[in-house]
Amino acid sequence: MKKIGVLIFVNILLVILQNSFFNELFSAKFNPNLVMAFGFAFLLMNDEEVGLSSLLIGGLVYDLLTFVTVGFSSFLFLILFELCVIATHYFSKSLPFKFLLLFISATIYTFFAVSNSFGSALVVAALTLLTSIIFYLLDANLLRYFSGTELGLMRQGYRS
């Protein structure tokens, strides 16, 4: 339960950063989706369960703090994430393929949820991909933190 609290805390921080500092840095039109980047970084590390948990929690936090229909972002995040998981299992588990899937998913999410402009959706998807790569490089320590905990045990198939 403590680790779920950590995911909630991290996702709250990401939503606050995304909607305050990053809005000024990139403007609202080209703002990368930090919640999506953080969750998909776990896909890059082959840890689907923690990624799903992070996207579910992050999507709900995003919806609650940005006054969007609650559950909409989580629903889109989870559908896109699961499609990426299925694609990696059936086609390729290589990092470049996962980068491509993340780029496509971020484009789809941005186009349908944020803006109806395909050009800005591509820019946001590229920034989200770049942010996800940064999280991927930084998340190795976080993944080690979760590996011996409740979420890590769930990932390994153990239930307490």
Side-chain angles (χ1 to χ4, degrees):
M1 193 65 182
K2 177 180 162 187
K3 305 315 169 200
I4 300 293
V6 171
L7 278 178
I8 291 171
F9 178 74
V10 168
N11 279 298
I12 288 173
L13 280 175
L14 291 174
V15 170
I16 290 171
L17 276 174
Q18 178 177 335
N19 291 321
S20 60
F21 176 70
F22 277 53
N23 260 351
E24 296 299 321
L25 186 63
F26 294 108
S27 84
K29 190 174 182 181
F30 300 115
N31 196 1
N33 193 327
L34 299 179
V35 172
M36 187 176 200
F38 182 71
F40 273 79
F42 288 105
L43 175 69
L44 299 176
M45 292 184 288
N46 298 318
D47 196 352
E48 288 92 10
E49 287 80 13
V50 176
L52 280 171
S53 301
S54 177
L55 287 171
L56 176 66
I57 292 168
L60 291 174
V61 168
Y62 180 79
D63 291 343
L64 289 171
L65 293 180
T66 57
F67 305 108
V68 180
T69 303
V70 177
F72 180 71
S73 295
S74 292
F75 177 73
L76 281 177
F77 287 158
L78 295 178
I79 293 294
L80 292 170
F81 189 83
E82 277 301 314
L83 288 174
C84 290
V85 168
I86 290 168
T88 57
H89 285 300
Y90 285 108
F91 297 112
S92 174
K93 294 182 188 252
S94 68
L95 276 178
F97 183 68
K98 290 179 182 179
F99 292 154
L100 176 66
L101 291 175
L102 172 59
F103 182 78
I104 292 169
S105 297
T107 304
I108 291 170
Y109 175 80
T110 304
F111 184 75
F112 286 111
V114 180
S115 72
N116 291 331
S117 169
F118 189 67
S120 65
L122 290 175
V123 172
V124 171
L127 290 172
T128 301
L129 174 64
L130 179 65
T131 309
S132 188
I133 291 170
I134 291 169
F135 281 136
Y136 168 69
L137 297 173
L138 296 175
D139 275 351
N141 292 329
L142 186 63
L143 183 62
R144 269 187 254 133
Y145 177 73
F146 282 119
S147 64
T149 62
E150 294 172 13
L151 286 174
L153 293 176
M154 285 172 37
R155 186 186 64 207
Q156 296 169 3
Y158 300 111
R159 308 260 189 242
S160 55

